């Protein structure tokens, strides 16, 4: 299975590196993570000026105030080898692929050898991983391997590595305590009550501590990502709102077509058998907070959010089949196990053309007509300066400049790299971007380069 993991890592890395080389990676979020890890590598606090200036929090805003992800520090030594966003892309590819051997071990123990290979392949081709590796880099990269270790090692009776992996999840993001609460619920359902209760209390304590205190201590505001105003003004208020009308909360999770589509896409790759396993309880809290939010991008399948739970649901499918086979009194039926694993693999294959891995076998993915002009524009900016860059240009500059996101409000940086030919976040339209360039010129900026919509300006 090591060869399959290596092949998956290469494919994931190619997807990300091509997007970076052809100016299809983005400042939000690749540059944010790059700045944090570079500062960790320099033994400095994880400043993320690009996010700080965007939110009017200043150049010394730290990543831990934005999202509580101290686990990014483990990537710092790799920046001593290569200082640039390419390192993050490759590291993410390796981390996603690293879950495959643990999935194989778990499935082999439950279903047998050949189903284990097919389950590993189904994960490697899974749409949540494809979407995650195609959208810059995110803290989600750590979760599949940690959840795979947690599930597989617990199943093998190796409690120390299992619970160390669970604890490490709390360093990934401020909401990972919810996943630990889910793990506690799963353990209780499996009869491991004391460990389950302690795990749930650990997860709850982590959520309350990080959201209620830690983020604010680092200069952030827990309300920055509060997306549940329709339920309550804060976490206790939202919980009370759900308890007052639990039926409405359940219906809210299915209130939009995009939510239903995503939920179906999450469980269908296991042929719905994940729903028969207590392991699904590990994923349940994280899935619920997505579906109850008021931010459509959290519900959709287009981004990286489903990568947090993909391993859990796949392992739940393996366990669900085992439980089903015992229920129908066919626990040793190898053909049933092989048929399910083959079916899961076929489903993964049929979903490939719909999601990001599809790009790898299209020649057009490897070329970008505007890439030459973008590279020429980037070359005009000297090293060591502060530059406001269009969202798609920032990743090419971040290794040698301090990148801020170019937007409608100027931050007064000495250099600006704009794109006026296509829409760039955070603008509303290319026309607004063109108008913003005009405003910069009125403020005294001088054009030093213009080609194919790219404009480089210097402040005199």
């Amino acid at each position: 299975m090591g060869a399959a993991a290596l092949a998956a890592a290469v494919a994931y890395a190619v997807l990300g590196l091509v997007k970076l080389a052809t100016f299809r990676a983005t400042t939000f979020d690749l540059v944010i993570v790059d700045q944090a890890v570079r500062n960790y590598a320099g033994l400095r606090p994880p400043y993320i000026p690009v996010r700080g200036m965007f939110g009017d929090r200043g150049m010394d805003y730290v990543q831990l105030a934005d999202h509580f992800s101290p686990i990014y520090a483990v990537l710092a030594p790799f920046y001593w080898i290569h200082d640039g966003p390419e390192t993050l892309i490759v590291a993410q590819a390796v981390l996603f692929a690293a879950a495959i051997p643990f999935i194989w071990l778990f499935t082999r123990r439950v279903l047998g050898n050949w189903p284990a290979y097919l389950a590993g392949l189904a994960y490697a081709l899974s749409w949540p991983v494809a979407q995650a590796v195609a959208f810059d880099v995110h803290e989600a990269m750590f979760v599949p391997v940690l959840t795979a270790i947690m599930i597989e090692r617990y199943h093998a009776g190796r409690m120390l590595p299992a619970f160390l992996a669970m604890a490490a999840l709390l360093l990934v993001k401020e909401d990972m305590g919810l996943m630990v609460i889910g793990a506690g619920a799963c353990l209780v359902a499996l009869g491991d009550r004391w460990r389950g209760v302690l795990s749930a209390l650990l997860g709850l304590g982590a959520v309350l501590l990080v959201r209620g205190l830690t983020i604010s201590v680092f200069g952030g505001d827990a309300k920055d990502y509060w997306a549940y105003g329709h339920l309550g003004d804060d976490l206790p208020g939202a919980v009370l709102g759900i308890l007052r009308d639990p039926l409405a909360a359940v219906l809210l999770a299915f209130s939009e077509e995009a939510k239903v589509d995503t939920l179906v896409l999450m469980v269908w790759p296991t042929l719905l058998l994940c729903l028969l396993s207590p392991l699904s309880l590990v994923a349940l809290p994280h899935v619920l907070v997505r579906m109850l939010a008021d931010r459509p991008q959290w519900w959709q399948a287009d981004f990286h959010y489903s990568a947090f739970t993909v391993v859990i649901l796949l392992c739940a499918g393996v366990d669900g089949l085992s439980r089903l086979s015992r229920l129908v009194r066919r626990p040793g039926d190898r053909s049933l196990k092989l048929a399910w694993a083959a079916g899961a693999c076929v489903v993964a294959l049929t979903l490939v053309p719909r999601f990001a891995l599809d790009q790898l076998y299209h020649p057009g993915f490897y070329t970008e007509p505007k890439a030459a002009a973008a590279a020429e524009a980037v070359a005009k900016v000297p090293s060591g300066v502060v530059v406001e860059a269009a969202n798609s240009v920032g990743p090419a500059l971040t290794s040698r400049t301090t990148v801020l996101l170019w937007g409608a409000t100027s931050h007064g940086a000495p250099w600006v790299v704009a794109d006026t030919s296509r829409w760039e976040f955070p603008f509303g339209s290319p026309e607004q971007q063109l108008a913003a360039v005009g405003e910069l010129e009125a403020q005294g900026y001088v054009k030093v380069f213009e080609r194919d919509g790219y404009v480089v300006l210097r402040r005199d």
Side-chain angles (χ1 to χ4, degrees), residues 6-162:
L6 178 60
V10 170
Y12 302 156
V14 168
L15 189 59
L17 291 173
V18 169
K19 294 194 75 172
L20 176 64
T22 54
F23 295 87
R24 282 175 279 184
T26 60
T27 297
F28 271 41
D29 294 316
L30 182 54
V31 171
I32 293 174
V33 181
D34 172 77
Q35 289 179 342
V37 176
R38 177 173 294 105
N39 278 303
Y40 276 129
L43 305 181
R44 299 181 294 270
Y47 298 120
I48 48 171
V50 63
R51 181 66 181 89
M53 295 301 289
F54 181 77
D56 296 323
R57 305 279 173 84
M59 297 282 282
D60 57 352
Y61 187 66
V62 295
Q63 192 277 325
L64 299 173
D66 186 44
H67 286 301
F68 185 72
S69 305
I71 199 167
Y72 279 136
V74 305
L75 301 179
F78 299 104
Y79 264 53
W80 302 338
I81 301 170
H82 177 78
D83 182 350
E86 299 86 356
T87 298
L88 295 177
I89 291 170
V90 172
Q92 176 172 262
V94 171
L95 283 166
F96 274 122
I100 294 174
F102 295 98
I103 293 170
W104 179 77
L105 285 170
F106 174 78
T107 308
R108 185 181 66 167
R109 194 179 302 119
V110 176
L111 301 182
N113 202 44
W114 281 108
Y117 284 106
L118 291 170
L121 182 58
Y123 166 81
L125 297 172
S126 65
W127 68 266
V129 174
Q131 295 308 100
V133 297
F135 182 43
D136 295 337
V137 296
H138 298 87
E139 64 283 329
M141 70 174 84
F142 297 98
V143 177
V145 65
L146 288 176
T147 52
I149 292 170
M150 179 178 70
I151 292 169
E152 189 279 326
R153 290 289 81 189
Y154 181 86
H155 187 261
R158 302 291 298 277
M159 299 302 163
L160 180 59

Side-chain angles (χ1 to χ4, degrees), residues 189-351:
L190 292 172
D192 195 348
R193 292 182 178 84
W194 281 111
R195 289 194 184 101
V197 170
L198 291 175
S199 297
L201 290 174
L202 173 65
L204 178 61
V207 170
L208 295 177
L209 177 64
V210 173
R211 292 196 63 87
L213 179 63
T214 307
I215 287 178
S216 60
V217 165
F218 283 109
D221 187 340
K223 294 183 179 180
D224 284 348
Y225 295 99
W226 183 250
Y228 309 94
H230 53 299
L231 297 174
D233 293 333
D234 51 24
L235 182 59
V239 172
L240 288 175
I242 292 171
L243 292 176
R244 280 194 295 267
D245 195 349
L247 179 59
V250 171
L251 294 176
L252 182 60
F254 302 92
S255 60
E256 299 284 343
E257 184 178 350
K259 294 181 182 182
V260 176
D261 286 346
T262 299
L263 289 170
V264 171
L265 281 168
M266 291 172 72
V267 300
W268 174 235
T270 69
L271 305 182
L272 308 185
L273 292 189
C274 62
L275 301 176
L276 301 180
S277 171
L279 281 174
S280 291
L281 292 172
V282 183
L284 182 60
H286 193 270
V287 173
L288 279 178
V289 298
R290 288 180 61 192
M291 298 301 137
L292 295 178
D294 60 12
R295 300 189 181 185
Q297 64 268 32
W298 291 8
W299 319 329
Q300 297 166 4
D302 295 335
F303 301 103
H304 58 288
Y305 301 107
S306 295
F308 286 93
T309 51
V310 60
V311 165
I312 300 167
L313 295 177
L314 179 59
C315 290
V318 171
D319 182 59
L321 174 66
S322 176
R323 292 172 182 274
L324 179 63
S325 65
R326 291 197 298 270
L327 185 66
V328 298
R329 299 180 181 180
R330 296 174 62 182
D333 191 335
R334 294 182 180 180
S335 61
L336 177 63
K337 296 173 181 178
L338 188 59
W340 174 84
C345 196
V346 169
V347 170
L349 280 168
T350 61
L351 290 174

